[in-house]
Amino acid sequence: MQKTISILGCGWYGLALAKHLLANGYNVRGSTTSADKLPTLQTEGIEPYLVSFNEQSINYNPAFFNSHTLVICIPPKRSSAEQASFPHKIAEICKAADNSVKNILFISSTSVYGDRNTELSETDEPDPDTPSGKAMKQAETILKNHPSFKTTILRFGGLIGPGRDPGKFFAGKINSPNGQSPINLIHLTDCVGISTHIIETESFGYTFNACTAHHPEKQAFYTQATINSGLVPPTFINELTSWKIINSNQSSTVLKYNYQITNWVQWLQKGKL
């Protein structure tokens, strides 16, 4: 019997995951907050749903939450109001999923750690230093403490891949600070790969960091990425101020996931997003 996966938020990552799961024999329900995007989901073979959870209104079809696993990939937007209300949104989603969803995969962020000038792993207590990081930490706690389903927290590093060209991030910028700081990135290929692996192996009830275990200096990586994209190279201040290195060993040792991209220098040399 085919398992049904519901993906709350079919954006850059969610849509890529949905396509991959469909190709691997899963039934996939996907949500969007825009009616204009429903035909796109349907064209891809995704069962489309219009779902919204915000302070003004909550709107969803209960059938969307009637699934084996719910993937939540709706990061808080940059506005302070959205970040402040994000934990409440997650709590309302938990109510909607109560007693109908068996497992939840929550896409979080390594921003929950903050820059603590050290290497950080899943055994370290999160100590966020940004509003979005604080909102993510609260959301994680709400989901982990919910009794009716098992939740795995998956903390992505910086996201790159098709549609997110790292060469554009610093193009033309002058004297960007903290040039020696290590990067903590993950490619869309591995975002989809590790998520699928969690679903396939039923690895729920865990917390995993998800970053490629290669952390070259920001100034070296982004300068080369910008050159690769044919854009104006940035300049950086050759300094090391605030930083962190995200350790993702548990995704290899506990989950036994093998990253497809292991070296950013080699990836840049290939010149493909």
Side-chain angles (χ1 to χ4, degrees), residues 8-142:
L8 184 62
C10 283
W12 180 78
Y13 154 79
L15 182 58
L17 176 62
K19 290 179 180 180
H20 186 75
L21 291 172
L22 280 168
N24 282 273
Y26 289 88
N27 295 320
V28 179
R29 295 180 176 136
S31 83
T32 177
T33 57
S34 171
D36 293 343
K37 293 181 181 178
L38 292 172
T40 301
L41 298 183
Q42 193 161 26
T43 299
E44 294 290 350
I46 302 163
E47 193 176 330
Y49 287 83
L50 195 63
V51 177
S52 64
F53 286 86
N54 56 55
E55 288 187 301
Q56 289 73 38
S57 67
I58 294 175
N59 177 52
Y60 65 90
N61 182 335
F64 175 76
F65 291 98
N66 185 19
S67 60
H68 182 270
T69 297
L70 171 67
V71 182
I72 302 175
C73 42
I74 48 167
K77 296 175 183 174
R78 294 184 181 274
S79 72
S80 56
E82 166 72 15
Q83 290 165 354
S85 64
F86 187 68
H88 175 72
K89 177 185 288 189
I90 295 300
E92 290 298 323
I93 291 168
C94 286
K95 289 181 185 176
D98 201 12
N99 298 319
S100 59
V101 168
K102 181 180 178 182
N103 304 306
I104 286 184
L105 176 59
F106 177 61
I107 304 305
S108 185
S109 165
T110 55
S111 65
V112 297
Y113 290 111
D115 288 336
R116 290 160 59 180
N117 300 341
T118 189
E119 183 170 325
L120 297 159
S121 72
E122 294 92 342
T123 59
D124 292 293
E125 182 64 26
D127 185 19
D129 53 15
T130 63
S132 61
K134 292 173 182 177
M136 277 294 195
K137 181 184 177 183
Q138 291 179 58
E140 286 185 6
T141 301
I142 291 167

Side-chain angles (χ1 to χ4, degrees), residues 159-160 164-171 173 185 222 226:
L159 304 171
I160 62 174
R164 291 201 179 195
D165 178 2
K168 296 180 179 179
F169 293 179
F170 287 90
K173 293 187 178 180
L185 297 177
Y222 285 108
T226 303

Side-chain angles (χ1 to χ4, degrees), residues 76-251:
K77 296 175 183 174
R78 294 184 181 274
S79 72
S80 56
E82 166 72 15
Q83 290 165 354
S85 64
F86 187 68
H88 175 72
K89 177 185 288 189
I90 295 300
E92 290 298 323
I93 291 168
C94 286
K95 289 181 185 176
D98 201 12
N99 298 319
S100 59
V101 168
K102 181 180 178 182
N103 304 306
I104 286 184
L105 176 59
F106 177 61
I107 304 305
S108 185
S109 165
T110 55
S111 65
V112 297
Y113 290 111
D115 288 336
R116 290 160 59 180
N117 300 341
T118 189
E119 183 170 325
L120 297 159
S121 72
E122 294 92 342
T123 59
D124 292 293
E125 182 64 26
D127 185 19
D129 53 15
T130 63
S132 61
K134 292 173 182 177
M136 277 294 195
K137 181 184 177 183
Q138 291 179 58
E140 286 185 6
T141 301
I142 291 167
L143 285 159
K144 285 191 290 188
N145 290 340
H146 201 283
S148 72
F149 40 70
K150 278 188 174 181
T151 297
T152 280
I153 307 296
L154 186 59
R155 295 170 177 157
F156 285 156
L159 304 171
I160 62 174
R164 291 201 179 195
D165 178 2
K168 296 180 179 179
F169 293 179
F170 287 90
K173 293 187 178 180
I174 298 172
N175 291 336
S176 291
N178 209 16
Q180 295 178 22
S181 62
I183 63 170
N184 297 285
L185 297 177
I186 183 169
H187 192 276
L188 179 61
T189 299
D190 281 312
C191 292
V192 171
I194 194 169
S195 303
T196 302
H197 191 74
I198 288 168
I199 292 168
E200 287 178 343
T201 58
E202 298 258 344
S203 298
F204 293 99
Y206 297 93
T207 297
F208 296 114
N209 293 337
C211 280
T212 291
H214 182 222
H215 308 274
E217 290 185 357
K218 178 169 70 173
Q219 57 193 359
F221 175 82
Y222 285 108
T223 298
Q224 187 58 55
T226 303
I227 292 170
N228 284 8
S229 297
L231 301 171
V232 178
T235 62
F236 291 88
I237 300 173
N238 188 32
E239 63 182 1
L240 181 62
T241 54
S242 58
W243 59 277
K244 61 177 176 277
I245 288 178
I246 298 299
N247 180 315
S248 300
N249 285 350
Q250 286 201 47
S251 58

